[in-house]
Amino acid sequence: MARLKVATATLAGCFGCHMSFLAIDERIFELVEHVEFDRSPINDIKKVGECDLGLIEGGLCNSENVEVLREFRKKCRILVAVGACAINGGLPAQRNPIPLSVILDEIYLGEAGIAHGVIPNDPELPLPLNKVHPLHEVVKIDYFLPGCPPSADVIWKFLTDLLAGREPEFGPELLHYD
Amino acid sequence: MNTLETAENPEKLRRIAIDPVSRVEGHGKVTLLLDEDNRVRQVRLHIVEFRGFEKFIQGRPYWEVPVMVQRLCGICPVSHHLAASKAMDMLLGMEKLTPAADKNRRLMHYGQILQSHALHFFHLCSPDLLFGFDSEVAKRNIVGIAAAFPEVAKKGVLLRKYGQEIIRMTAGKKIHGTGSIPGGVNKSLSKEERKALLGEIYTMVSWSLEAVGIVKQLFESNREFFENFGRFDAKSLSLVRADGAMDLYHGDLRAREIDGKKIFDHFDYRHYWDVISEDVKPWSYMKFPYLGSLGPDEGWYRVGPLARISNCDFIPTPLADRERREFLEYDDGRAAGATLGYHWARMIEMLHAAENIKDLLHDDEIEGEDLIARQGERAGRGVGVIEAPRGTLIHHYRVNEEDLVIRANLIVSTTHNNQAMNEAIRQVALQYLDGREITEGLLNHIEVAIRAFDPCLSCATHALGRMPLEIELFDCEGEKLSSASRSSEGIFLAQ
Ligand code: SF4
């Protein structure tokens, strides 16, 4: 049987969802018998190829996040929003009511202890969006895994259900939103 | 300072980007500018993401902060959880914790050090170290390690799991728990939990000792290379205990010169701004901290395992202290100043964490029931500093009479290392890339140098920048969601 190709990315997230994925611990050795990783921050594949499954942590806070998300949508048959940030923006979206210029000024110009305040402006830096957006506002998302982060057991159940050709299902003991 | 920060005629140079830097946490990229002879002219590590935590935390009640701020970083949430808790202890005049609270917080913290160091070494870096920096891309990950070195991979995964279990038991959840609260903790270790952890701790100590051995062997196998790779001289900063011992949970600030001379010692971190200032550069969202008295060009420093091991006078657990001495004496101190020496120092700390956990588990007070300190006099500000896995972490809040945060400043570990990481990759560029045809393997050398610091690039992204661009974001139906652009004065215009 061909192994399932899986890519993962972290956008405007804290990496906690990836950490929770790795908290499947020794089950990872079993997983890789059925799954082959494409682009992911835990390996050195930097561009996503044709994949069966894409797992995305974090919402969208800048232009680069949007590019990566669109690329993933194009290449992945099934695309999953993993965790609160991907689903509704999560904690980073708490900046949404505040105009960006206010945040910018305070952090780079207004603070005591900064010798030469300057607002970073290099073309190498992607442009931030004025608000943090959840993934499904920009592309179609096939599955949502709630939690901040979803527990390793949720991620494990999701993957093993998919691998077995079942519709993923979670009992109340697995589903949580914190 | 290295001259490769800014090239004179960037428009005439060829650009190569490593984007994204992988097997590190968060978002970063490296750009290299080369001339027609492939001579390296400019090298920069850019931190490309914006968060704005310090701003949007304003207006939140103080007791929410220790839970909220963890979402800065999912690799070391406990560090933020505890640094914020310590700041709130100070705010409430509750800095003298009960023994049960102090020990449970320490247990949580050392569990975190153990899991984070194990993750970094085994999951993220061991592929470079065990296969070689320019080995096959497809192999360079934990899955490749599991196939070639199953025992190493297994122990790495189980060490991390053990640390995560400690966090789950003390904080309630493996990632983003709630165990620490202003003035104490909300639970102590139960008898059953203690027993379960005690059952495995000796194995963890011995595996940690083996891990130190792995790095030592690597140094031995290629001494010259390991000592000189991305090598640069730097000052160091860390907390030390009152008696000069390594203490990753609490202490005073100590900074040393390159030659080991102390710049300051036992400086009370509650006034950290008297010794640490920050600089901003237009090409990175991450600030550049420095020792204020020395200025930005001379005052930058290293933090983290390498800085801590050479900064402290001793490690208060026997196996780790023996390893510390061997490390410092190795080849007349050449390992202690090497960029790859970070890995060795990190494994010594992992051993120390395991030994420390063992001692805490043998202490009956870990099951104590008196969890909250008596409230003292309320202050308007709270400063909490801790040695996170990656280095000194500073949280600073001002809170008004209505209990709401009105100001916040965070200097996270990776930010302290900003200049140091840039120095390291410029050295590597000069040593290995300059004048050569650039290959993937050579580019990975740059990433190897960054990884040595175990950077946590998502922690380090506080704010946003000014770009000569315009962007519009449309939803699936083609409806405009948001757009943003910049005026020439750098004011951000959002419509
Ligand atoms: S959902 Fe939670 S754990 Fe996941 S990226 Fe967001 S803040 Fe981190």
Side-chain angles (χ1 to χ4, degrees):
Chain A
M1 193 181 86
R3 288 190 296 171
L4 209 65
K5 260 212 161 177
V6 180
T8 80
T10 167
L11 306 179
C14 76
F15 222 77
C17 289
H18 273 82
M19 288 300 102
S20 196
F21 186 4
L22 288 179
I24 62 173
D25 298 323
E26 62 273 31
R27 287 174 286 183
I28 190 159
F29 303 130
E30 190 186 328
L31 185 70
V32 295
E33 288 173 17
H34 310 286
V35 153
E36 185 186 337
F37 282 97
D38 195 75
R39 173 185 159 151
S40 165
I42 63 163
N43 63 34
D44 289 347
I45 303 171
K46 314 235 172 195
K47 252 186 105 46
V48 56
E50 295 295 331
C51 284
D52 299 297
L53 181 65
L55 304 173
I56 300 214
E57 160 196 313
L60 305 162
C61 77
N62 64 28
S63 54
E64 191 200 18
N65 293 160
V66 179
E67 273 164 41
V68 174
L69 176 65
R70 293 214 163 113
E71 199 53 30
F72 264 68
R73 179 68 277 181
K74 242 189 273 161
K75 297 286 173 64
C76 302
R77 215 152 45 81
I78 300 172
L79 196 61
V80 187
V82 182
C85 297
I87 293 174
N88 61 27
L91 200 72
Q94 287 203 20
R95 79 163 161 89
N96 286 359
I98 312 166
L100 281 186
S101 58
V102 172
I103 309 182
L104 179 79
D105 286 1
E106 177 163 332
I107 290 176
Y108 288 111
L109 304 176
E111 224 168 79
I114 293 210
H116 327 92
V118 44
I119 292 161
N121 64 350
D122 197 271
E124 293 288 356
L125 304 176
L127 185 73
L129 304 173
N130 63 342
K131 286 190 170 34
V132 176
H133 292 273
L135 307 182
H136 67 270
E137 286 189 5
V138 176
V139 300
K140 175 169 170 291
I141 296 292
D142 302 299
Y143 290 98
F144 299 85
L145 294 184
C148 179
S151 69
D153 290 341
V154 167
I155 298 171
W156 179 250
K157 178 82 168 47
F158 178 75
L159 293 172
T160 45
D161 277 354
L162 276 192
L163 281 167
R166 283 191 296 267
E167 189 58 25
E169 251 182 69
F170 310 103
E173 71 295 347
L174 280 184
L175 266 196
H176 67 100
Y177 295 85
D178 67 327
Chain B
M1 217 191 285
N2 202 298
T3 51
L4 292 181
E5 180 175 318
T6 304
E8 253 168 44
N9 297 306
E11 63 291 345
K12 295 198 183 122
L13 300 169
R14 185 161 66 97
R15 170 183 177 276
I16 293 184
I18 305 175
D19 184 17
V21 176
S22 53
R23 286 186 281 131
V24 300
E25 198 234 350
H27 301 252
K29 75 172 167 191
V30 171
T31 57
L32 302 154
L33 297 183
L34 308 164
D35 65 17
E36 59 264 27
D37 303 319
N38 278 338
R39 305 306 302 261
V40 178
R41 298 293 178 205
Q42 179 179 303
V43 183
R44 290 171 170 179
L45 167 64
H46 308 267
I47 303 305
V48 298
E49 200 184 293
F50 142 71
R51 294 292 184 78
F53 260 77
E54 287 147 323
K55 184 66 193 169
F56 66 65
I57 210 145
Q58 294 173 17
R60 310 301 308 182
Y62 73 80
W63 59 80
E64 274 186 2
V65 172
V67 173
M68 267 179 88
V69 284
Q70 309 181 79
R71 267 88 183 172
L72 276 168
C73 171
I75 284 201
C76 57
V78 168
S79 316
H80 292 289
H81 188 48
L82 292 177
S85 298
K86 286 176 78 175
M88 298 317 168
D89 297 343
M90 174 181 163
L91 179 88
L92 301 174
M94 299 167 91
E95 279 169 295
K96 180 123 191 50
L97 297 184
T98 66
D102 182 65
K103 286 173 184 163
N104 276 283
R105 278 200 194 171
R106 283 175 179 272
L107 182 62
M108 193 193 302
H109 187 51
Y110 283 96
Q112 159 86 344
I113 299 276
L114 182 80
Q115 78 85 13
S116 177
H117 282 2
L119 177 101
H120 178 259
F121 185 73
F122 293 99
H123 297 67
L124 302 179
C125 290
S126 67
D128 297 320
L129 299 170
L130 299 180
F131 292 137
F133 299 178
D134 42 17
S135 57
E136 204 188 317
V137 177
K139 271 198 335 196
R140 285 198 319 246
N141 53 60
I142 182 74
V143 180
I145 290 292
F149 306 95
E151 273 301 295
V152 173
K154 191 189 100 196
K155 287 175 185 171
V157 165
L158 294 180
L159 274 162
R160 171 174 191 248
K161 182 182 181 182
Y162 184 83
Q164 291 278 82
E165 281 299 313
I166 293 180
I167 297 170
R168 188 180 60 76
M169 290 173 189
T170 48
K173 249 170 100 194
K174 287 186 175 175
I175 295 153
H176 304 330
T178 53
S180 177
I181 53 178
V185 293
N186 60 18
K187 107 175 242 306
S188 54
L189 207 64
S190 72
K191 213 170 242 26
E192 299 70 50
E193 288 166 338
R194 188 176 167 199
K195 200 163 149 239
L197 292 175
L198 271 170
E200 286 184 281
I201 185 61
Y202 290 93
T203 311
M204 298 303 142
V205 172
S206 76
W207 287 355
S208 302
L209 191 59
E210 278 175 31
V212 180
I214 296 178
V215 194
K216 221 188 297 183
Q217 255 178 18
L218 285 165
F219 264 78
E220 286 294 355
S221 67
N222 201 346
R223 187 180 280 234
E224 182 79 4
F225 179 78
F226 271 81
E227 287 177 5
N228 293 319
F229 179 83
R231 189 186 187 89
F232 62 96
D233 288 331
K235 302 174 179 65
S236 50
L237 175 85
S238 72
L239 291 180
V240 291
R241 201 165 76 180
D243 59 357
M246 170 178 278
D247 186 338
L248 303 178
Y249 177 74
H250 191 67
D252 310 310
L253 291 168
R254 173 183 282 177
R256 282 196 204 265
E257 269 299 347
I258 293 154
D259 62 10
K261 209 168 91 241
K262 287 177 191 145
I263 302 170
F264 52 77
D265 199 7
H266 294 298
F267 187 87
D268 183 348
Y269 69 63
R270 288 174 299 183
H271 305 280
Y272 71 91
W273 56 85
D274 286 338
V275 289
I276 296 171
S277 307
E278 289 184 283
D279 200 11
V280 185
K281 297 190 183 183
W283 45 268
S284 182
Y285 291 135
M286 185 154 78
K287 290 174 185 170
F288 290 80
Y290 59 93
L291 303 176
S293 61
L294 300 174
D297 291 345
E298 295 296 321
W300 59 275
Y301 48 86
R302 260 193 290 246
V303 299
L306 195 65
R308 292 191 288 240
I309 296 265
S310 36
N311 238 3
C312 69
D313 299 330
F314 64 100
I315 298 181
T317 55
L319 296 177
D321 196 52
R322 198 189 67 205
E323 295 298 331
R324 178 192 70 93
R325 272 180 276 131
E326 193 176 332
F327 174 66
L328 293 180
E329 283 157 19
Y330 183 85
D331 205 7
D332 291 331
R334 293 284 293 169
T339 293
L340 294 174
Y342 260 103
H343 294 293
W344 190 343
R346 194 171 288 115
M347 290 303 96
I348 297 173
E349 286 192 347
M350 185 166 84
L351 175 61
H352 169 54
E355 289 183 285
N356 216 331
I357 290 165
K358 176 181 69 88
D359 294 345
L360 285 164
L361 290 174
H362 280 111
D363 186 331
D364 287 338
E365 270 169 339
I366 204 78
E367 288 181 42
E369 282 167 8
D370 187 9
L371 303 180
I372 305 284
R374 318 288 155 252
Q375 189 150 354
E377 201 176 323
R378 166 93 175 234
R381 84 165 75 236
V383 180
V385 178
I386 197 164
E387 284 294 334
R390 295 156 183 81
T392 315
L393 168 66
I394 302 175
H395 279 221
H396 177 187
Y397 305 97
R398 288 224 311 267
V399 175
N400 68 14
E401 272 138 38
E402 278 141 21
D403 289 348
L404 304 180
V405 174
I406 51 173
R407 202 91 167 75
N409 188 37
L410 310 177
I411 307 182
V412 302
S413 322
T414 297
T415 302
H416 293 286
N417 273 336
N418 198 355
Q419 186 64 34
M421 288 189 291
N422 273 286
E423 291 294 323
I425 61 174
R426 285 169 197 151
Q427 286 307 329
V428 170
L430 287 179
Q431 288 172 323
Y432 298 97
L433 280 70
D434 199 42
R436 297 179 63 180
E437 206 50 60
I438 308 295
T439 61
E440 193 283 332
L442 285 176
L443 290 177
N444 190 47
H445 281 60
I446 299 262
E447 292 186 82
V448 167
I450 296 172
R451 285 181 204 123
F453 293 85
D454 187 11
C456 171
L457 306 180
S458 60
C459 281
T461 49
H462 288 341
L464 67 153
R466 166 184 179 275
M467 266 68 53
L469 278 174
E470 203 171 51
I471 180 165
E472 293 183 328
L473 184 58
F474 294 93
D475 68 11
C476 344
E477 267 91 53
E479 196 80 17
K480 183 145 92 172
L481 281 175
S482 78
S483 70
S485 65
R486 299 214 147 264
S487 75
S488 52
E489 302 82 33
I491 308 291
F492 201 88
L493 305 172
Q495 294 117 33

